[in-house]
Amino acid sequence: MRKLLAATLGVLSAVGGFVDIGDLVAASQAGARFGMGHAWVLLLGVVGICAYADMAGRIAAVSGRAVFDLVRERLGARVALLNLVASYLVTVLTLAAELGGVALALRLAAGLPYLVWVPVAGLAVWLVLWRMRFQLMERVFGLAGLALVVFAVALWWLPTDWAALGRGMLHPGEAGHGWGAYWFVAVALFASTVSPYEVFFFSSGGVEERWSAEDLADARSSVLIGFPVGGLLALSLIATATVVFHPGTSVTTLDQVARPVLLAFGAVGLAVVSLGFFAVTFGAALETGLSAAYAAAQYFGWQWGKRVSPREAARFHAVLLVSVLLGVLVLLTTVDPVTLTEYMLIVSAVALPLTYLPILVVANDRTYLGDRVNGRLLNLLGAVFLLVILAASVAAVPLAITTRMGQ
Amino acid sequence: MARQLLDRQLVDVTGRLVGKVDDVEFALDDDGVPYVRTLLSGPGALGARVGGRLGRMLVLAAERFVSDPPLTPMRIPFRLVERVDSAVWLRVPAEELPASPVEEWLRRHLIGRIPGAGRASG
């Protein structure tokens, strides 16, 4: 019974943990402008991240080493250092966007100007990282993030034309915005679904919680069930935005992302949505902050993690602190958090291969995994997905320039 | 042999992470056969191996934390190595090895001063 409860909790927190500021922005924008035409992107992303999370988890459980720890041995000190610098910058940029999301959610719930909330959000995130237990942290924010189910419920309250939604999924179109804009949004949505920090976090968390082959089965099932269900949450974001905004209005603020629920349930709906936004962005801020520090510590071989006291992992905690500060500073330049999220997604798309290629390489290395290396089917899936990632990475910047960020 | 050691995680006898094998030093035995004498760890050794502007920047950044540059890497005699698998396991606790100056500095001046630094949050 206890075990079942723990497993359920694990699945549910994976569901909540899947969605972050990138999904909120990209999914709503996709729905508002192109209807259901991007549903296939979510499906592709979820299949890919499940395959790679499986590899990263297996590497962590069998070799006892996290992904970035092994990247340096495979790529060499110099290339891995360049990879570290790029991954770190992308992760801190993501952290900044998530902190902006936390501040926006607080403003949505409690009023007061957004910029007042930015330092509060930064301090709160750092305090939780400093003191809260790893698993508790994962559970609390993952479960509270499930409040976003309210988007799926709202679909039944709104005058939804289900047949039209279904047709839209099967017949994607450029809806008068041009195919350039369509593919730009597709790349952004794809990057939000397969955010690299999720894999870093998953594999480092596995090492931190000292997974063995037995725990691996649990962890894997929570991700393999949790991420697809999380994908359904993102799909319901697209669907409600389609029903309420498409065609016509475009979504440029987080208030607009919340509007479908406000229309369906009024003030109560707004309260639930604010909680959901707060939980998913706060949870993702924790994960991105940790991922940035994990990557640095694992490259240099420093002591890392929450199992030892901060005094014993001073360099790890210093990077953590500096990363949160950098995130706050980025936001204090008064950059609009939604615009920041759009740029963050494009930069992440470019950097995607830096994370996913090494995982595929290590997952085939017998010196670490013995006979637990990838099977043929998983390798095929991994390779096909890697090609998609490469295409998205190459196309991201040209699309951003030619469409002027998707206009 | 060196390829198997380079860039691998160094772990002490209690499971604590002490650094990476940033470089290795060879010596010749009586018959003139080379063997690994010392493992080097620390930004000084890493910077030299990475090379170029990136390597120099790494060393300069680390040198800000020591009172008397140049930076000397931690030297671990190879006889202290217990076994090598996905990590390099040492037979001594971290206390018996020279501490990292950067870690020491950050502990003393930044992290150690924040309340609660002595307790693990788990």
Side-chain angles (χ1 to χ4, degrees), chain A residues 40-52:
Chain A
W40 64 271
V41 178
L42 278 182
L43 181 70
L44 188 69
V46 167
V47 170
I49 195 145
C50 282
Y52 276 81

Side-chain angles (χ1 to χ4, degrees), chain A residues 19-21 24 28 98 101-102 104-106 108 144-145 147-148 150-151 237 253-259 261 270-283:
Chain A
V19 181
D20 72 345
I21 185 78
L24 294 178
S28 298
E98 307 291 352
V102 175
L104 284 176
L106 286 169
L108 207 59
L148 290 183
V150 72
F151 276 94
L237 277 164
T253 66
L254 207 61
D255 303 26
Q256 284 174 307
V257 176
R259 185 156 309 152
V261 175
L270 185 67
V272 178
V273 161
S274 308
L275 173 69
F277 283 178
F278 174 78
V280 297
T281 50
F282 201 99

Side-chain angles (χ1 to χ4, degrees), chain A residues 84-141:
Chain A
L84 170 69
V85 172
S87 299
Y88 180 81
L89 291 178
V90 172
T91 311
V92 168
L93 200 59
T94 315
L95 170 61
E98 307 291 352
L99 283 173
V102 175
L104 284 176
L106 286 169
R107 196 208 52 193
L108 207 59
L112 288 183
Y114 147 81
L115 273 181
V116 174
W117 289 114
V118 167
V120 176
L123 182 66
V125 163
W126 176 78
L127 271 176
V128 168
L129 288 172
W130 184 255
R131 281 271 43 110
M132 201 188 252
R133 263 179 51 228
F134 192 87
Q135 205 177 31
L136 186 67
M137 183 183 100
E138 228 179 347
R139 296 271 153 93
V140 166
F141 292 98

Side-chain angles (χ1 to χ4, degrees), chain A residues 93-356:
Chain A
L93 200 59
T94 315
L95 170 61
E98 307 291 352
L99 283 173
V102 175
L104 284 176
L106 286 169
R107 196 208 52 193
L108 207 59
L112 288 183
Y114 147 81
L115 273 181
V116 174
W117 289 114
V118 167
V120 176
L123 182 66
V125 163
W126 176 78
L127 271 176
V128 168
L129 288 172
W130 184 255
R131 281 271 43 110
M132 201 188 252
R133 263 179 51 228
F134 192 87
Q135 205 177 31
L136 186 67
M137 183 183 100
E138 228 179 347
R139 296 271 153 93
V140 166
F141 292 98
L143 289 181
L146 285 180
L148 290 183
V149 168
V150 72
F151 276 94
V153 181
L155 266 186
W156 268 273
W157 248 261
L158 294 166
T160 304
D161 181 350
W162 294 92
L165 284 188
R167 273 198 304 279
M169 273 165 97
L170 297 176
H171 304 285
E174 41 98 30
H177 299 288
W179 283 106
Y182 176 89
W183 284 108
F184 175 82
V185 171
V187 167
L189 187 63
F190 182 68
S192 80
T193 314
V194 298
S195 332
Y197 76 84
E198 285 170 27
V199 191
F200 280 141
F201 184 73
F202 184 61
S203 93
S204 303
V207 175
E208 184 122 89
E209 291 177 13
R210 305 211 178 99
W211 287 346
S212 61
E214 191 186 327
D215 310 308
L216 176 61
D218 284 349
R220 229 182 197 172
S221 63
S222 57
V223 164
L224 296 190
I225 303 169
F227 279 5
V229 179
L232 285 180
L233 277 189
L235 188 65
S236 65
L237 277 164
I238 300 188
T240 49
T242 306
V243 172
V244 173
F245 299 112
H246 183 71
T249 333
S250 63
V251 174
T252 50
T253 66
L254 207 61
D255 303 26
Q256 284 174 307
V257 176
R259 185 156 309 152
V261 175
L262 194 64
L263 286 175
F265 304 117
V268 179
L270 185 67
V272 178
V273 161
S274 308
L275 173 69
F277 283 178
F278 174 78
V280 297
T281 50
F282 201 99
L286 298 173
E287 295 187 8
T288 45
L290 280 173
S291 300
Y294 284 150
Q298 288 166 11
Y299 174 85
F300 291 108
W302 306 333
Q303 180 70 52
W304 54 272
K306 287 168 68 67
R307 277 192 182 272
V308 295
S309 69
R311 181 185 294 280
E312 286 174 81
R315 284 169 294 185
F316 172 74
H317 275 277
V319 175
L320 203 53
L321 182 61
V322 168
S323 308
V324 175
L325 275 177
L326 281 176
V328 170
L329 282 179
V330 168
L331 291 170
L332 289 182
T333 60
T334 71
V335 59
D336 174 52
V338 173
T339 313
L340 177 68
T341 304
E342 290 167 12
Y343 280 96
M344 173 274 280
L345 288 175
I346 291 308
V347 179
S348 316
V350 175
L352 283 176
L354 295 180
T355 309
Y356 286 92

